[in-house]
Amino acid sequence: MISKTLHSPAIKYLQWEANDAPLLIILGQSNSYGHGTQLPPDERITQGLNNVFTLSLPEVYSINFSTINWVGLTSFGNANIGAPVGLQRGNQDHPCNVANRFAKFWQGHINQGNTLDLPDLYVILMGYGGQGMYLDNPPDNRWAPERDPKDVESLYPRAMRTLRMAVQSLRKMGKNPRILAIHWNQWEAETESLAAAKVSEVNFTRIITGISDAISSRDIPWRLYYPLSVAFDPLNTSYVNKAIEDVIAAEPRYRILIDARNSQNYTGVASEYGVFLPDKMHYDSATQTWFAQQEWERILSGYNGVKV
């Protein structure tokens, strides 16, 4: 069942145009790329999809790459541009995540006749396990806005540059970029210290406004994730939870909460709650698919994102 909070009253539902370029962006830490999950063989995307495109890690894992080249999306290899090649904290060995599950829904609809007249989809996944926004928490501070922009592992400045260039590349292709959403699937690292938790609202706001400005619109829909896992310090988690609530309340037209307690598999029984792997902190494949399904349901309802 779709939560009543999913649809924003500020979003208008329009028909797709031939040159529209919908773009879905997923940023964060380990849950953003589905750490610990594994797609079954018949669900894996081993050949690049025909109508869903993404960026390849070797081409954009740099602070000064010159061009954007879109390639057919797969569920393995270089689909996550956040972490270095081969790093376990960025695994791309057919995990289950919002990026490849939403892509599968999109491509499947086109393959089945495309009654919605969907255009080609563009997806960017940028995740790095364990990374947070608080500078004084090295080495888990790669999302910190203050990190050196000349360091390729400084995710925030690299995300701004990459997303800005990606939007520009679509325009150069004669397309009209439309941001479906930016999924910010990250909060856990902010619980590693009370100091980090207490400034998390400031850092969430800096990340959201900075990236939105880089893409040239503060009307971009952002999805933030409810801090459900109890594997982290409860006091610090409470500060982070309040920070997320306040960030959403500051602009509720374009920011919403993704809450796994609304999923069909949620049991309410700690500590896995029916949605986590046995480690109690990483969402299982069914829940990752549910996240993607929520985004797909918007498309079925006629949603086509925000033009930038």
Side-chain angles (χ1 to χ4, degrees), residues 142-201:
R142 289 178 174 86
W143 276 113
E146 306 96 328
R147 275 184 58 109
D148 182 2
K150 295 180 181 179
D151 180 357
V152 70
E153 292 192 355
S154 296
L155 294 170
Y156 173 69
R158 187 156 64 84
M160 288 200 300
R161 182 174 185 271
T162 302
L163 296 176
R164 184 186 300 116
M165 290 181 63
V167 169
Q168 291 172 347
S169 78
L170 294 173
R171 291 195 180 109
K172 290 177 181 178
M173 294 161 58
K175 296 183 177 292
N176 294 323
R178 304 191 70 95
I179 309 299
L180 297 180
I182 298 180
H183 282 245
W184 180 260
N185 198 340
Q186 186 279 339
W187 63 267
E188 296 88 345
E190 309 318 305
T191 69
E192 292 180 8
S193 75
L194 184 58
K198 285 185 173 181
V199 298
S200 59
E201 181 177 345

Coordinates of all heavy atoms in Angstrom, one line a residue, residues 142-201:
R142 N 33.4 11.1 4.4 CA 33.5 11.5 2.9 C 32.4 12.3 2.3 O 32.5 12.8 1.3 CB 33.8 10.2 2.1 CG 35.2 9.6 2.4 CD 35.4 8.3 1.6 NE 36.8 7.8 1.8 CZ 37.2 7.0 2.8 NH1 36.3 6.6 3.8 NH2 38.4 6.6 2.9
W143 N 31.3 12.4 3.1 CA 30.2 13.2 2.6 C 30.3 14.6 3.2 O 29.4 15.5 3.0 CB 28.8 12.6 2.9 CG 28.3 11.7 1.9 CD1 28.1 10.3 2.0 CD2 27.9 11.9 0.5 NE1 27.7 9.7 0.9 CE2 27.5 10.7 -0.1 CE3 27.9 13.1 -0.3 CZ2 27.1 10.6 -1.4 CZ3 27.5 13.0 -1.6 CH2 27.1 11.8 -2.1
A144 N 31.3 14.9 4.0 CA 31.4 16.2 4.7 C 31.6 17.3 3.6 O 32.5 17.2 2.8 CB 32.6 16.2 5.7
P145 N 30.7 18.3 3.7 CA 30.9 19.4 2.7 C 32.2 20.1 2.7 O 32.7 20.7 1.7 CB 29.7 20.4 3.1 CG 28.7 19.5 3.7 CD 29.5 18.5 4.5
E146 N 32.9 20.1 3.9 CA 34.2 20.8 4.0 C 35.4 20.1 3.5 O 36.5 20.6 3.5 CB 34.4 21.2 5.5 CG 33.3 21.9 6.2 CD 32.4 20.9 7.0 OE1 32.3 19.8 6.5 OE2 31.9 21.3 8.0
R147 N 35.2 18.8 3.1 CA 36.4 18.1 2.6 C 37.0 18.7 1.4 O 36.3 19.4 0.6 CB 36.0 16.6 2.4 CG 36.0 15.7 3.6 CD 35.7 14.3 3.2 NE 36.6 13.8 2.2 CZ 37.5 12.8 2.4 NH1 37.6 12.3 3.6 NH2 38.3 12.4 1.5
D148 N 38.3 18.4 1.2 CA 39.0 19.0 0.1 C 38.4 18.6 -1.2 O 38.3 17.4 -1.6 CB 40.5 18.5 0.2 CG 41.4 19.0 -0.9 OD1 40.9 19.8 -1.7 OD2 42.5 18.6 -0.9
P149 N 38.0 19.5 -2.0 CA 37.4 19.2 -3.3 C 38.4 18.6 -4.3 O 38.0 18.1 -5.3 CB 36.8 20.6 -3.8 CG 37.6 21.6 -3.1 CD 37.9 21.0 -1.8
K150 N 39.7 18.7 -4.0 CA 40.7 18.1 -4.9 C 40.9 16.6 -4.6 O 41.7 16.0 -5.2 CB 42.0 18.9 -4.8 CG 41.9 20.3 -5.3 CD 43.2 21.0 -5.1 CE 43.1 22.5 -5.6 NZ 44.4 23.2 -5.5
D151 N 40.3 16.1 -3.5 CA 40.3 14.7 -3.2 C 39.2 14.0 -3.8 O 38.0 14.3 -3.6 CB 40.3 14.6 -1.6 CG 40.4 13.1 -1.2 OD1 40.4 12.2 -2.0 OD2 40.4 12.9 0.1
V152 N 39.5 13.0 -4.6 CA 38.4 12.3 -5.3 C 37.4 11.6 -4.4 O 36.3 11.3 -4.8 CB 39.0 11.2 -6.3 CG1 39.7 10.1 -5.6 CG2 38.0 10.7 -7.3
E153 N 37.9 11.3 -3.2 CA 37.0 10.6 -2.2 C 36.1 11.6 -1.4 O 35.3 11.2 -0.6 CB 37.8 9.7 -1.3 CG 38.4 8.5 -2.0 CD 38.9 7.5 -1.0 OE1 38.9 7.7 0.2 OE2 39.4 6.4 -1.5
S154 N 36.2 12.9 -1.8 CA 35.3 13.9 -1.2 C 34.0 13.8 -2.0 O 33.9 14.4 -3.1 CB 35.9 15.3 -1.2 OG 37.1 15.3 -0.4
L155 N 33.0 13.1 -1.5 CA 31.8 12.8 -2.2 C 31.0 14.0 -2.6 O 30.4 14.1 -3.6 CB 31.0 11.8 -1.5 CG 31.7 10.4 -1.3 CD1 30.9 9.5 -0.3 CD2 31.8 9.7 -2.6
Y156 N 30.9 15.0 -1.6 CA 29.9 16.1 -1.8 C 30.4 17.0 -3.0 O 29.6 17.2 -3.9 CB 29.8 16.9 -0.6 CG 29.0 18.2 -0.7 CD1 27.7 18.2 -0.9 CD2 29.7 19.4 -0.6 CE1 26.9 19.3 -1.1 CE2 28.9 20.6 -0.7 CZ 27.6 20.6 -0.9 OH 26.9 21.7 -1.1
P157 N 31.6 17.5 -3.1 CA 32.0 18.3 -4.2 C 32.0 17.5 -5.5 O 31.6 18.0 -6.6 CB 33.4 18.8 -3.9 CG 33.9 17.9 -2.8 CD 32.7 17.5 -2.1
R158 N 32.3 16.2 -5.4 CA 32.3 15.4 -6.7 C 30.9 15.1 -7.1 O 30.6 15.1 -8.3 CB 33.0 14.0 -6.4 CG 33.2 13.2 -7.7 CD 34.3 12.2 -7.6 NE 34.2 11.2 -6.6 CZ 33.5 10.1 -6.7 NH1 32.9 9.8 -7.9 NH2 33.4 9.2 -5.8
A159 N 29.9 15.0 -6.2 CA 28.5 14.8 -6.5 C 28.0 16.0 -7.2 O 27.3 16.0 -8.2 CB 27.7 14.5 -5.3
M160 N 28.3 17.2 -6.7 CA 27.8 18.4 -7.3 C 28.4 18.6 -8.7 O 27.6 18.9 -9.6 CB 28.3 19.6 -6.4 CG 27.5 19.8 -5.1 SD 27.6 21.5 -4.4 CE 29.4 21.6 -4.2
R161 N 29.6 18.3 -8.9 CA 30.2 18.5 -10.2 C 29.6 17.5 -11.2 O 29.2 17.8 -12.3 CB 31.7 18.4 -10.2 CG 32.4 18.5 -11.5 CD 33.9 18.5 -11.3 NE 34.6 18.8 -12.6 CZ 34.9 17.9 -13.5 NH1 34.7 16.6 -13.2 NH2 35.5 18.2 -14.6
T162 N 29.5 16.2 -10.7 CA 29.0 15.1 -11.6 C 27.6 15.4 -12.0 O 27.2 15.2 -13.2 CB 29.2 13.8 -10.9 OG1 30.6 13.6 -10.5 CG2 28.7 12.6 -11.8
L163 N 26.8 15.7 -11.0 CA 25.3 15.9 -11.3 C 25.1 17.2 -12.2 O 24.3 17.1 -13.1 CB 24.5 16.1 -10.0 CG 24.5 14.8 -9.2 CD1 23.8 15.1 -7.9 CD2 23.9 13.6 -9.9
R164 N 25.9 18.2 -12.0 CA 25.8 19.4 -12.8 C 26.2 19.0 -14.3 O 25.5 19.4 -15.2 CB 26.7 20.5 -12.3 CG 26.6 21.8 -13.1 CD 27.7 22.8 -12.7 NE 27.6 23.2 -11.3 CZ 28.5 22.9 -10.3 NH1 29.6 22.2 -10.7 NH2 28.3 23.3 -9.1
M165 N 27.3 18.3 -14.4 CA 27.7 17.9 -15.8 C 26.7 16.9 -16.4 O 26.5 17.0 -17.6 CB 29.1 17.3 -15.7 CG 30.2 18.3 -15.4 SD 31.8 17.5 -15.4 CE 32.0 17.0 -17.1
A166 N 26.1 16.1 -15.6 CA 25.1 15.1 -16.2 C 23.9 15.8 -16.7 O 23.5 15.5 -17.8 CB 24.7 14.1 -15.1
V167 N 23.4 16.8 -16.0 CA 22.3 17.6 -16.5 C 22.7 18.4 -17.7 O 21.9 18.4 -18.7 CB 21.8 18.5 -15.4 CG1 20.8 19.5 -15.9 CG2 21.1 17.7 -14.2
Q168 N 23.8 18.9 -17.7 CA 24.3 19.7 -18.9 C 24.5 18.8 -20.1 O 24.1 19.1 -21.3 CB 25.6 20.4 -18.6 CG 25.5 21.5 -17.6 CD 26.9 22.0 -17.2 OE1 27.9 21.4 -17.4 NE2 26.9 23.2 -16.5
S169 N 24.9 17.5 -19.9 CA 25.1 16.6 -21.0 C 23.8 16.3 -21.6 O 23.7 16.1 -22.9 CB 25.8 15.3 -20.5 OG 25.0 14.5 -19.9
L170 N 22.7 16.1 -20.8 CA 21.4 15.8 -21.4 C 20.9 17.0 -22.2 O 20.3 16.7 -23.3 CB 20.4 15.5 -20.2 CG 20.7 14.2 -19.4 CD1 19.8 14.1 -18.2 CD2 20.6 13.0 -20.3
R171 N 21.1 18.2 -21.7 CA 20.7 19.3 -22.5 C 21.5 19.4 -23.9 O 20.9 19.7 -24.9 CB 21.0 20.6 -21.7 CG 20.1 20.8 -20.5 CD 20.1 22.2 -20.0 NE 19.3 22.4 -18.8 CZ 19.7 22.6 -17.6 NH1 21.0 22.6 -17.4 NH2 18.9 22.7 -16.6
K172 N 22.8 19.0 -23.8 CA 23.6 19.0 -25.1 C 23.1 18.0 -26.1 O 23.2 18.1 -27.3 CB 25.0 18.8 -24.8 CG 25.7 20.0 -24.1 CD 27.1 19.6 -23.7 CE 27.8 20.8 -23.0 NZ 29.2 20.4 -22.6
M173 N 22.4 17.0 -25.5 CA 21.8 15.9 -26.4 C 20.4 16.3 -26.9 O 19.8 15.6 -27.6 CB 21.7 14.6 -25.6 CG 23.0 14.0 -25.2 SD 22.9 12.8 -23.8 CE 21.7 11.6 -24.4
G174 N 20.0 17.6 -26.6 CA 18.7 18.1 -27.0 C 17.6 17.6 -26.2 O 16.4 17.7 -26.6
K175 N 17.9 17.2 -25.0 CA 16.8 16.7 -24.1 C 16.5 17.7 -23.0 O 17.3 18.6 -22.7 CB 17.3 15.4 -23.5 CG 17.5 14.3 -24.5 CD 17.8 13.0 -23.9 CE 18.0 11.9 -24.9 NZ 16.7 11.5 -25.5
N176 N 15.3 17.5 -22.4 CA 14.9 18.4 -21.3 C 15.0 17.5 -20.0 O 14.2 16.6 -19.7 CB 13.4 18.8 -21.4 CG 13.3 19.8 -22.6 OD1 14.1 20.6 -22.9 ND2 12.2 19.6 -23.3
P177 N 16.0 17.8 -19.2 CA 16.2 17.0 -17.9 C 15.0 17.2 -17.0 O 14.6 18.3 -16.8 CB 17.5 17.5 -17.3 CG 18.2 18.2 -18.5 CD 17.1 18.7 -19.4
R178 N 14.5 16.1 -16.4 CA 13.5 16.2 -15.4 C 13.9 15.3 -14.2 O 14.1 14.1 -14.4 CB 12.1 15.7 -16.0 CG 11.6 16.4 -17.2 CD 10.2 16.0 -17.5 NE 9.3 16.6 -16.5 CZ 8.7 17.8 -16.7 NH1 8.8 18.5 -17.8 NH2 7.9 18.2 -15.8
I179 N 14.1 15.9 -13.1 CA 14.6 15.1 -11.9 C 13.4 14.4 -11.3 O 12.4 15.1 -10.8 CB 15.2 16.0 -10.9 CG1 16.3 16.9 -11.5 CG2 15.8 15.2 -9.7 CD1 17.4 16.1 -12.1
L180 N 13.4 13.1 -11.3 CA 12.3 12.4 -10.7 C 12.4 12.5 -9.2 O 11.4 12.7 -8.5 CB 12.3 10.9 -11.1 CG 12.1 10.6 -12.6 CD1 12.2 9.1 -12.8 CD2 10.8 11.2 -13.0
A181 N 13.6 12.3 -8.6 CA 13.9 12.4 -7.2 C 15.4 12.3 -7.0 O 16.1 11.7 -7.8 CB 13.1 11.4 -6.4
I182 N 15.8 12.8 -5.8 CA 17.1 12.4 -5.3 C 16.8 11.7 -4.0 O 16.2 12.2 -3.0 CB 17.9 13.7 -5.0 CG1 18.2 14.4 -6.3 CG2 19.2 13.3 -4.3 CD1 19.1 15.7 -6.1
H183 N 17.2 10.4 -3.9 CA 17.1 9.6 -2.7 C 18.4 9.8 -1.9 O 19.5 9.4 -2.4 CB 16.9 8.1 -3.1 CG 15.6 7.8 -3.5 ND1 14.8 6.9 -2.8 CD2 14.9 8.2 -4.6 CE1 13.6 6.8 -3.5 NE2 13.6 7.5 -4.6
W184 N 18.2 10.4 -0.7 CA 19.4 10.5 0.2 C 19.2 9.4 1.3 O 18.5 9.6 2.3 CB 19.4 11.9 0.8 CG 20.5 12.1 1.8 CD1 20.5 12.0 3.1 CD2 21.9 12.3 1.4 NE1 21.8 12.2 3.6 CE2 22.7 12.4 2.6 CE3 22.6 12.5 0.2 CZ2 24.0 12.6 2.6 CZ3 23.9 12.7 0.2 CH2 24.7 12.8 1.4
N185 N 19.9 8.3 1.0 CA 19.8 7.1 1.9 C 21.1 7.1 2.8 O 22.0 6.3 2.5 CB 19.7 5.9 1.0 CG 19.1 4.7 1.9 OD1 19.2 4.7 3.1 ND2 18.6 3.7 1.2
Q186 N 21.1 8.0 3.7 CA 22.3 8.1 4.6 C 21.8 8.8 5.9 O 21.2 9.8 5.8 CB 23.4 8.9 3.9 CG 24.7 9.0 4.7 CD 24.7 10.0 5.7 OE1 24.0 11.0 5.8 NE2 25.7 9.9 6.7
W187 N 22.2 8.2 7.0 CA 22.0 8.9 8.3 C 22.8 8.1 9.4 O 23.2 8.7 10.4 CB 20.5 8.9 8.8 CG 19.9 7.5 9.0 CD1 19.2 6.8 8.0 CD2 20.0 6.7 10.1 NE1 18.8 5.6 8.6 CE2 19.3 5.5 9.9 CE3 20.5 6.9 11.4 CZ2 19.1 4.5 10.8 CZ3 20.3 5.9 12.4 CH2 19.6 4.7 12.0
E188 N 23.2 6.9 9.1 CA 23.7 6.0 10.2 C 25.1 6.6 10.7 O 25.4 6.5 11.9 CB 23.9 4.6 9.6 CG 22.6 3.9 9.3 CD 22.1 4.1 7.9 OE1 22.6 5.1 7.2 OE2 21.2 3.4 7.4
A189 N 25.9 7.1 9.8 CA 27.2 7.6 10.2 C 27.1 8.8 11.1 O 28.0 9.0 11.9 CB 28.1 7.9 9.0
E190 N 26.0 9.5 11.1 CA 25.8 10.6 12.0 C 25.6 10.2 13.4 O 25.7 11.1 14.3 CB 24.7 11.5 11.5 CG 24.7 11.8 10.0 CD 26.1 12.2 9.5 OE1 26.7 13.2 10.1 OE2 26.5 11.6 8.6
T191 N 25.4 8.9 13.7 CA 25.2 8.5 15.1 C 26.5 8.1 15.7 O 26.5 7.6 16.9 CB 24.2 7.3 15.1 OG1 24.8 6.1 14.5 CG2 22.9 7.6 14.4
E192 N 27.6 8.2 15.0 CA 28.9 7.7 15.5 C 29.4 8.6 16.7 O 30.3 8.2 17.4 CB 29.9 7.5 14.4 CG 29.5 6.4 13.5 CD 30.5 6.2 12.3 OE1 31.6 6.8 12.4 OE2 30.2 5.4 11.4
S193 N 28.9 9.8 16.8 CA 29.3 10.6 17.9 C 28.1 11.6 18.2 O 27.3 11.9 17.3 CB 30.5 11.4 17.6 OG 30.3 12.5 16.7
L194 N 28.0 12.0 19.4 CA 26.9 12.9 19.8 C 27.1 14.3 19.1 O 26.1 14.9 18.6 CB 26.9 13.2 21.3 CG 25.8 14.1 21.8 CD1 24.4 13.5 21.5 CD2 25.9 14.2 23.4
A195 N 28.4 14.7 18.9 CA 28.6 15.9 18.2 C 28.1 15.9 16.7 O 27.5 16.8 16.2 CB 30.1 16.2 18.2
A196 N 28.4 14.7 16.1 CA 27.9 14.6 14.7 C 26.4 14.6 14.6 O 25.8 15.2 13.7 CB 28.4 13.3 14.1
A197 N 25.8 13.9 15.6 CA 24.3 13.9 15.6 C 23.7 15.2 15.8 O 22.7 15.6 15.2 CB 23.8 12.9 16.7
K198 N 24.3 16.0 16.7 CA 23.7 17.3 17.0 C 23.8 18.3 15.8 O 23.0 19.3 15.8 CB 24.4 17.9 18.2 CG 24.0 17.3 19.5 CD 24.6 17.9 20.7 CE 24.0 17.4 22.0 NZ 24.6 18.1 23.2
V199 N 24.8 18.1 14.9 CA 24.9 19.1 13.8 C 24.4 18.4 12.5 O 24.5 19.0 11.4 CB 26.4 19.5 13.6 CG1 26.8 20.3 14.8 CG2 27.3 18.4 13.3
S200 N 23.7 17.3 12.6 CA 23.2 16.6 11.4 C 22.2 17.4 10.7 O 22.2 17.4 9.4 CB 22.7 15.2 11.8 OG 21.6 15.3 12.7
E201 N 21.4 18.1 11.3 CA 20.4 19.0 10.6 C 21.1 20.0 9.8 O 20.7 20.2 8.6 CB 19.4 19.7 11.6 CG 18.4 20.5 10.9 CD 17.4 21.1 11.8 OE1 17.3 20.7 13.0 OE2 16.6 22.0 11.4

